[in-house]
Amino acid sequence: MANALLIACVVSVLLHAVGGATVRRFKWEVGYIYASPDCEEKLVMAINGQFPGPTIRAKAGDTIHLQLKNTLHTEGVVIHWHGIRQHGTPWADGTASISQCAINPEESFLYRFKVDKAGTYFYHGHYGMQRAAGLYGSLIVDVSDGEEEPFQYDGEFNLLLSDWYHTSIYDQMVGLSSRPMKWIGEPQSLLINGRGQTNCSLAASLVPGSSACELTSKDCEPVVLKVLPNKTYRLRIASATSLASLNLAIGNHSMTVVEADGNYVEPFTVDDMDIYSGESYSVLVTTNQKTSSNYWISVGVRGRKPNTQSALAIINYPPNAPSKLPESSPPATPLWNDYARSKSFTYRILARQGAPKPPPNADKRIALLNTQNKMDGYTKWAINNVSLALPATPYLGSMRYHLKNAFDTKIPPESFPSDYDVMRPAKNQNTTQSTNAYVFQFNSTIDVILQNANAIAENVSEIHPWHLHGHDFWVLGYGDGRFQEKDVSTFNLKNPPLRNTVVIFPYGWTALRFIADNPGVWAFHCHIEPHLHMGMGVVFAEGVENVRNVPTEAITCGMTGKMLINNHLP
């Protein structure tokens, strides 16, 4: 949305090769700008005046050096590099109060990390609800020199999907933290690469009952993908939504899914696809339709009763003008609560032949019950009846240097009562709050059972996409109802997909397995912004004693952080 020439002048990217790989250097400033993502002017959180933020492009094995300056006037900031595992650099994960201190206004922090695996990733704010304010952008990692993808294509496009609220994140956070809670409602628009329209449709002439859009700003003009006929294009798709689960379809074109969360999958072809917050995919699309028309890309809401207009973009075939609207109506989004259709897509995602297989057995299993609860009249989300609170000093520093009283050292519950009925509201809906963390033996294999349940209201169970920092995990299986021991026999150990984000469906369970082999402290949480804000997450730690070279500024905040300084932090 900002002038590309201005961005080229402001962003400093310096490259030099080290041992065959490249160090890519960036200088960014985070601040607010006025923009009109859906044709209504609002404050937007931007990087170097650009929304969405600049796309980072690197090759597997490259190192990123990114100097981030906070030019926000009254709030801290961090950036999480979603899907980058941060081997050896857990302090660069960008999670406030977990891996680092928030960067204060007018201060800077140097993120240094290696992008070790090719794939489609993105980055976003991880402090408060800054992702919902627009702090996000794409991070694309190509294969290293001399390597090839296991599929071929003629060109590629990047689609970063998001939702957009007209109320500020401060209004949203205060409402969620009020007694009683004031729910934020559904987003006013869906955005494709930061562009959308509100309360209108670009296809109004083709969709009865919809209003035509008046495009009052270039900020909200539709995204146009210019293609050539009879070519195969890779679409890299990622979802940075705050709330919405999405479905994407392309008029008259099928899509072949080839990558999920930076991991190759066994190719399969679909007419539409669901994508949950935190997920990323690559699909191959062949431009084999008649060239006398352009075609719609349609993105609509799934998993919630949709009160938000679908977002539209255009596939532009020559010789048509990019402004020429497609002749047919946009693809219809499947019914919002057709979960059988959603499961059908998700269950088809399997690892490509030759992908790493999981260990045959786990050393430890924990079961995490997702519930909505009350605490002193406030509405919370909780895991095993514990709602996550975050400490003033990041866990990484307090654990690495054995600080006392920095967080709750009580072992968090690793299961939930055997008589808990996940199909009904809890008999006792009260919860507690804690800063405790799960500490795993280094290099052990961990199974996690994510168990969904009824919320506070009768007959309500929501979709929750869970994201694990610092790791990929194998998705061993899904099921309906409460997980039982006999379900272990159904685990897929042959070709389970590797992911970093996974969905649990309403009233269902999802099983995953990972190896605790990355020294650090890592967030594991629902990727829906208001849910995390209300406590829906846990903290995993492993091998923290092996962490080296932690920058002082990453961990010396809060009273216990100041103790590190006073005790001559090495």
Side-chain angles (χ1 to χ4, degrees):
M1 290 190 175
N3 184 280
L5 190 58
L6 173 64
I7 297 303
C9 294
V10 174
V11 180
S12 173
V13 183
L14 304 175
L15 306 179
H16 68 271
V18 176
T22 297
V23 177
R24 300 180 183 268
R25 301 180 184 275
F26 303 83
K27 288 185 178 181
W28 284 3
E29 293 187 358
V30 176
Y32 280 106
I33 62 171
Y34 282 105
S36 304
D38 61 4
C39 298
E40 289 199 17
E41 187 177 74
K42 299 291 178 183
L43 280 177
V44 177
M45 199 170 284
I47 296 173
N48 293 345
Q50 182 176 344
F51 166 75
T55 295
I56 292 178
R57 190 124 202 171
K59 293 183 178 181
D62 287 352
T63 297
I64 304 297
H65 283 199
L66 191 145
Q67 188 80 26
L68 184 70
K69 182 178 180 181
N70 179 6
T71 62
L72 302 169
H73 297 293
T74 59
E75 59 190 298
V77 71
V78 298
I79 290 184
H80 169 55
W81 315 97
H82 189 108
I84 305 302
R85 294 175 292 181
Q86 301 293 350
H87 285 294
T89 53
W91 46 265
D93 188 50
T95 45
S97 296
I98 297 176
S99 66
Q100 72 169 107
C101 303
I103 307 164
N104 290 324
E106 297 305 318
E107 293 184 355
S108 297
F109 183 80
L110 177 62
Y111 287 101
R112 292 182 288 110
F113 57 91
K114 179 178 286 189
V115 288
D116 64 325
K117 187 159 62 74
T120 303
Y121 308 104
F122 64 106
Y123 61 84
H124 59 80
H126 215 296
Y127 182 62
M129 290 177 61
Q130 290 179 343
R131 172 159 50 95
L135 186 53
Y136 49 79
S138 294
L139 198 171
I140 307 301
V141 182
D142 295 307
V143 294
S144 57
D145 291 337
E147 299 292 326
E148 292 185 356
E149 305 272 15
F151 44 82
Q152 295 183 338
Y153 52 95
D154 301 301
E156 70 173 66
F157 298 100
N158 189 42
L159 299 178
L160 182 58
L161 312 179
S162 55
D163 47 13
W164 184 247
Y165 285 86
H166 290 175
T167 53
S168 74
I169 59 171
Y170 311 106
D171 287 340
Q172 295 179 46
M173 289 188 292
V174 170
L176 294 170
S177 303
S178 293
R179 184 172 54 183
M181 177 188 70
K182 295 183 179 180
W183 176 238
I184 63 175
E186 304 303 309
Q188 277 63 65
S189 57
L190 302 179
L191 307 180
I192 301 174
N193 292 348
R195 299 182 179 196
Q197 300 79 36
T198 185
N199 294 325
C200 67
S201 174
L202 295 170
S205 61
L206 302 169
V207 180
S210 59
S211 302
C213 294
E214 181 180 353
L215 302 182
T216 58
S217 168
K218 290 185 177 181
D219 291 354
C220 58
E221 291 179 350
V223 171
V224 177
L225 308 185
K226 296 183 178 182
V227 301
L228 295 174
N230 300 312
K231 301 290 185 181
T232 297
Y233 291 89
R234 179 182 191 170
L235 301 188
R236 296 181 181 268
I237 307 165
S239 176
T241 55
S242 172
L243 176 68
S245 301
L246 303 175
N247 179 272
L248 183 145
I250 305 174
N252 289 36
H253 294 73
S254 60
M255 299 174 286
T256 300
V257 181
V258 293
E259 179 217 344
D261 293 352
N263 294 284
Y264 299 127
V265 300
E266 199 61 34
F268 64 98
T269 300
V270 294
D271 293 324
D272 64 85
M273 59 184 294
D274 285 347
I275 179 167
Y276 302 99
S277 179
E279 291 187 328
S280 64
Y281 292 94
S282 284
V283 301
L284 301 181
V285 177
T286 300
T287 52
N288 54 8
Q289 298 301 302
K290 63 180 182 179
T291 59
S292 59
S293 176
N294 290 334
Y295 299 88
W296 294 113
I297 298 175
S298 179
V299 177
V301 173
R302 294 278 273 142
R304 304 183 65 85
K305 190 173 182 179
N307 293 316
T308 309
Q309 185 76 41
S310 294
L312 297 175
I314 294 173
I315 298 281
N316 172 219
Y317 277 72
N320 304 296
S323 58
K324 180 183 177 181
L325 296 182
E327 299 170 354
S328 56
S329 300
T333 300
L335 191 65
W336 70 273
N337 57 356
D338 184 355
Y339 295 119
R341 186 183 184 117
S342 298
K343 293 174 184 177
S344 175
F345 171 77
T346 300
Y347 296 173
R348 293 181 69 184
I349 302 171
L350 299 170
R352 194 178 184 99
Q353 187 173 0
K357 295 184 183 297
N361 298 291
D363 299 305
K364 186 182 188 68
R365 183 200 302 165
I366 61 174
L368 303 180
L369 175 68
N370 294 228
T371 55
Q372 192 181 44
N373 302 80
K374 292 287 187 177
M375 189 178 75
D376 300 326
Y378 297 96
T379 303
K380 295 287 185 180
W381 285 97
I383 305 304
N384 292 348
N385 209 40
V386 178
S387 186
L388 178 65
L390 293 174
T393 301
Y395 294 92
L396 184 63
S398 53
M399 287 186 175
R400 176 64 182 83
Y401 296 106
H402 308 291
L403 296 181
K404 295 182 178 180
N405 304 316
F407 64 95
D408 183 359
T409 56
K410 181 181 177 182
I411 299 174
E414 297 180 349
S415 61
F416 55 96
S418 58
D419 60 351
Y420 191 97
D421 187 352
V422 300
M423 307 302 292
R424 301 178 185 278
K427 295 178 181 178
N428 180 1
Q429 296 184 344
N430 294 319
T431 189
T432 58
Q433 194 172 46
S434 178
T435 58
N436 54 16
Y438 293 87
V439 180
F440 300 128
Q441 183 178 342
F442 187 50
N443 281 326
S444 61
T445 299
I446 309 298
D447 277 3
V448 179
I449 309 300
L450 290 168
Q451 176 69 63
N452 213 340
N454 202 102
I456 290 176
E458 292 273 1
N459 301 315
V460 175
S461 183
E462 299 188 24
I463 281 176
H464 300 292
W466 274 76
H467 172 58
L468 177 58
H469 294 226
H471 304 78
D472 286 342
F473 50 74
W474 291 275
V475 183
L476 301 185
Y478 305 85
D480 298 321
R482 178 172 176 143
F483 177 84
Q484 300 181 46
E485 190 62 33
K486 64 181 178 62
D487 293 319
V488 174
S489 65
T490 69
F491 284 179
N492 174 15
L493 301 179
K494 179 182 177 182
N495 56 353
L498 275 167
R499 304 293 303 264
N500 61 57
T501 303
V502 70
V503 62
I504 44 172
F505 292 105
Y507 298 109
W509 57 265
T510 299
L512 55 96
R513 179 171 293 174
F514 74 97
I515 302 174
D517 60 355
N518 193 5
V521 185
W522 309 105
F524 183 42
H525 61 89
C526 178
H527 209 259
I528 293 173
E529 284 274 60
H531 290 183
L532 176 58
H533 181 76
M534 298 162 71
M536 197 172 198
V538 294
V539 174
F540 292 166
E542 66 217 43
V544 179
E545 65 278 5
N546 298 319
V547 174
R548 298 289 183 268
N549 303 318
V550 181
T552 302
E553 63 271 25
I555 55 176
T556 49
C557 51
M559 289 303 296
T560 48
K562 292 179 175 60
M563 290 172 56
L564 284 172
I565 299 175
N566 295 334
N567 290 321
H568 307 292
L569 178 70

